[in-house]
Amino acid sequence: MNPSTSLLPTGTGAATPREHPLEYDAFRQLCERPYLAYARLRTGDGTRAARSVSRAFADLCAHWSDMLRSACPAAYAWEILNAAVDGEDVNGTVGSPRLPCHLTAAQADAVRLHHHLGLNLQKTAALMGTDDQSVRAVLRSAARTRCTALSCLLDRT
């Protein structure tokens, strides 16, 4: 194995290419806890959440240089995380049925991070790879969508 491409273990078992361990480790330390909390909300299970976050970080590690060259590394990472969490659904491991949701993926993510996990607008925006104003707008549109959906449910009863 070439020394410049050998692998170093990180705290949870994933490997880090030797050419960028500090940046990768810093990113992982910054994002792993909120990623786990988000994945737990999405999957409803700590084990599935940990598995999907481990898969996401393994993918990020494998494509680290692509992520760094992307227009927005945080958005790139967020897409990989969502694909890994979605993979839990595809593999048929989500245990409880979900209610129909009329929110877009961005609206649902912002609501989960900001309202359910209690992250401020800046942290929510940073994790999603967008700006504060976009998160604020998405949250407002989600509130209108949820209110509209709720009023439709109330009208039917």
Side-chain angles (χ1 to χ4, degrees):
M1 179 183 294
N2 180 337
S4 67
T5 60
S6 65
L7 301 175
L8 298 172
T10 62
T12 58
T16 304
R18 207 176 268 244
E19 63 195 50
H20 48 70
L22 294 176
E23 295 88 353
Y24 175 85
D25 286 343
F27 180 81
R28 187 167 186 149
Q29 287 176 10
L30 181 69
C31 295
E32 188 166 30
R33 196 169 282 186
Y35 278 14
L36 277 168
Y38 169 81
R40 199 172 299 115
L41 275 176
R42 291 266 319 268
T43 64
D45 179 74
T47 301
R48 289 192 300 263
R51 186 171 48 231
S52 62
V53 171
S54 286
R55 186 177 310 120
F57 278 111
D59 288 348
L60 285 169
C61 183
H63 301 285
W64 186 250
S65 57
D66 294 333
M67 181 182 123
L68 293 179
R69 286 191 302 268
S70 71
C72 182
Y76 185 99
W78 190 252
E79 287 180 26
I80 287 181
L81 172 66
N82 272 292
V85 174
D86 288 345
E88 289 296 313
D89 289 337
V90 170
N91 294 328
T93 57
V94 174
S96 59
R98 296 183 184 192
L99 296 174
C101 182
H102 301 285
L103 300 178
T104 66
Q107 288 172 328
D109 286 349
V111 167
R112 286 179 184 115
L113 292 170
H114 185 65
H115 293 296
H116 293 273
L117 298 178
L119 301 179
N120 65 30
L121 287 174
Q122 294 79 18
K123 183 68 173 177
T124 298
L127 286 171
M128 292 178 67
T130 190
D131 57 77
D132 301 358
Q133 294 79 16
S134 295
V135 170
R136 189 175 286 113
V138 166
L139 287 170
R140 285 182 182 150
S141 68
R144 286 190 303 273
T145 301
R146 288 191 321 195
C147 289
T148 302
L150 182 59
S151 67
C152 289
L153 288 174
L154 293 174
D155 289 343
R156 291 183 187 166
T157 58

